[in-house]
Structures are given as structure tokens and as C-alpha cells.
Amino acid sequence: MSAWRFVHVTDIHLGSPRSYRFNPAYGENWATAAGQIRALAPDLVLVGGDITRDGNLNGYEFAGSRAALDALGIPWHCIPGNMDTGNKHADRQGARPDRDDVACNVTQAQLDVYTAAIGPLTWSFVHRDVRFSGCYEAIAGTALPSAHALDAWLDGLAALPRASRHVMLNHYPLFTDTPADPPRDLADAGQYLDWYFSIDPGPRRRLIDAYRRAGVTHVLSGHIHCRRPPLTFDGITYCFGAATAFTQWPQRWPDGDATLGFQVFTVTPQGINCAFEPLARVSTRTDGRGPGGHPRPADRHA
Ligand SMILES: [Fe+2]
């Protein structure tokens, strides 16, 4: 088997000038990334969610994101991110006064908009003896119909034909430090971001157990917009990926690096190697408009 490549790109946040906030710099960064990806000519591209700026509010944003991905001319496979659909569920208001966490909870209607515009919430296929699977793991453990479908999909994953490796695409990282991370209290300002940027222990355990039964070897995530060197726990390698649009949380880990770019994976008979590809040029446009984060409705005016 000769060496071949696939790319993991995430958090491209293209958005639309029709929306209450919009940053053309994110589109310029995507154009730069797309040129670099085309030049690498990977077999396929894994798109790790947050393909829109506010797809959870403005379903029309998906058409532009889909066109941008199609223009790669390379097969791509996508899962939703929290800005495409909605956030992992909060059971109460968190410590941030600038957002309403419960109102940000992902709904079935938002998931249905994504599915109609982009495709299924779960998928799995084999390419050149590597199994690739993807799911929006943030819904695990909720009462949403799609969460029940995710449960059934997870239960069936182990029965699929095995390949030499199994790569799982997620949006949220499953943890911020280790798979044994304790619950994070969203009402505690000091723990809020660890809560926001990871999956809670109950659904995390469920997901990792299913991944292990299915022979998952690599879990790829986005959401944080800060990459880390791959981490291996109990035989699964977790790859926290960089964003192309903008950076977040660069100070969280000593080995964190919020440089914008994407991940290039090279598959050989010996295994899968992950390399970071920084953007060749970061946009310097300053004509973006609108607030960041998860603005309350009263603040959503450009
Ligand atoms: Fe994002």
C-alpha cells in the first residue's frame, strides 16, 4: 500500500453577509485553506462542523458553506457543529451573563435543518482499508429523537466490517484533560469554559465505550479552535484540531497552539501520522461586524 492522505478541516465559520453578524476574514481564510488543500490533493476531506457562523439561527447560511466545500473538487464528509445547530444541553443558566445557555440547547428542528441542507448526522464508510465514521456527539444523552438514532447507530457500529484503522469525526472534544475528567460546573465561572468545550462524563463514557467496541483508533475534534499534539488514552488517539476562521482559548494548555490551519493525515502500512498545516496567509481584514460568542437576541443587531 502506498502512502495516501486525508485532511481534517474544522470551524471554518463562513457565514453570510445577510446575517446579523459577518466576518469576511473567515471567508478569506477559508479560500487560503481551500487552495492549500487542493494542492495537497488528499483522497478525502473530513469537515468537523461549524461550517456556518449562525446556521442555528439562519438556515440559509448552509447553501454557501455547501457550495464552498463542493468547490474543493474533493470528496468531503461533514458533521454539524454547535454554531450550525445548537450547543450541548445545559440544564441551567451558566456563569456567563452575556449568553442564555438553556436557550442555546440544540433542538431537533435545528438538526433537521442541517440534515436537509448538508446530510445525515451519522455516517460510516471504508476507504482504502480505513473506516471513517462521523457523528454529532454533543446530542448524546439528550431526549432528542436524533439522540436515540445516535444510540442505535453507536450500538451497530461494532458490527460493521473491520478495517486496519477507524477514524471517528466529532465536533466537541470528549474531554479537556483526560477521559476521566470530572463533571464541570457551568455555573462556576472558573469551570465554565471546561464545561462548554467538552462532553459531560455520562455521555462521554457512553461514546468512548461504543468507540472502543467498534475499534476506533483516532477521534478528531474541533470546537475549541486550539490544537494540541495528539493524546493517546487506552489505545485511542485524540486529535484536537485547529480552526481556520479564528482562534479561541490559546492559554488553556501549555502545549496548546491556536495557530489557524488544518490537519493532514498520512496513512501508511505502519499507521496514521498527523501533521499540522498552518494557513499560508491569515486574513488581515478588519471589516467584520457583530459580536462574538452566543449573543442574546437583543444583542443580535449588526
Ligand atoms: Fe467553532
Side-chain angles (χ1 to χ4, degrees):
M1 181 184 75
S2 58
W4 58 278
R5 290 184 290 214
F6 66 91
V7 158
H8 170 228
V9 66
T10 185
D11 297 275
I12 66 176
H13 286 287
L14 296 184
S16 165
R18 287 173 59 191
S19 297
Y20 77 96
R21 60 179 173 176
F22 179 62
N23 193 333
Y26 304 165
E28 282 200 353
N29 286 345
W30 167 250
T32 299
Q36 291 175 252
I37 292 169
R38 277 190 214 98
L40 286 163
D43 278 25
L44 56 92
V45 177
L46 303 178
V47 185
D50 279 6
I51 60 175
T52 62
R53 185 82 187 276
D54 290 296
N56 61 325
L57 301 171
N58 308 316
Y60 57 79
E61 291 192 14
F62 287 108
S65 301
R66 183 176 193 107
L69 291 166
D70 284 343
L72 281 173
I74 300 165
W76 55 271
H77 305 270
C78 187
I79 57 159
N82 60 303
M83 301 305 293
D84 301 321
T85 53
N87 292 356
K88 83 172 192 182
H89 281 194
D91 60 1
R92 64 215 141 101
Q93 171 62 29
R96 297 271 302 250
D98 60 331
R99 60 180 67 173
D100 179 339
D101 286 292
V102 175
C104 290
N105 287 353
V106 58
T107 67
Q108 190 59 46
Q110 290 168 320
L111 295 167
D112 291 345
V113 170
Y114 171 90
T115 300
I118 302 297
L121 298 172
T122 55
W123 42 261
S124 190
F125 64 91
V126 174
H127 177 80
R128 295 177 74 165
D129 198 30
V130 175
R131 178 167 289 283
F132 292 93
S133 301
C135 67
Y136 186 38
E137 76 302 321
I139 62 175
T142 70
L144 296 171
S146 285
H148 297 304
L150 172 63
D151 260 339
W153 181 81
L154 288 169
D155 284 340
L157 208 52
L160 296 176
R162 295 299 171 106
S164 68
R165 301 288 189 285
H166 190 165
V167 176
M168 176 65 66
L169 181 65
N170 286 165
H171 183 65
Y172 286 66
L174 296 180
F175 51 84
T176 52
D177 288 317
T178 80
D181 279 356
R184 313 291 195 181
D185 180 2
L186 79 163
D188 177 338
Q191 299 184 48
Y192 181 84
L193 288 176
D194 278 274
W195 172 82
Y196 176 74
F197 282 125
S198 67
I199 298 298
D200 295 342
R204 178 198 307 146
R205 188 77 266 149
R206 160 77 174 128
L207 290 158
I208 291 176
D209 286 350
Y211 293 177
R212 182 161 291 113
R213 284 196 300 273
V216 168
T217 52
H218 296 74
V219 178
L220 281 46
S221 58
H223 188 43
I224 299 180
H225 301 203
C226 180
R227 74 186 177 94
R228 297 181 72 190
L231 305 159
T232 300
F233 294 99
D234 297 329
I236 297 179
T237 298
Y238 298 87
C239 304
F240 290 33
T244 65
F246 60 95
T247 66
Q248 294 180 137
W249 228 22
Q251 75 289 355
R252 173 59 174 82
W253 303 279
D255 62 358
D257 182 348
T259 304
L260 299 177
F262 56 90
Q263 289 61 240
V264 182
F265 291 83
T266 302
V267 183
T268 70
Q270 286 71 44
I272 297 180
N273 178 62
C274 175
F276 175 61
E277 185 83 5
L279 292 188
R281 176 184 172 277
V282 174
S283 176
T284 56
R285 288 181 74 142
T286 56
D287 54 345
R289 56 181 166 77
H294 295 273
R296 290 171 180 269
D299 299 323
R300 293 178 197 156
H301 45 75

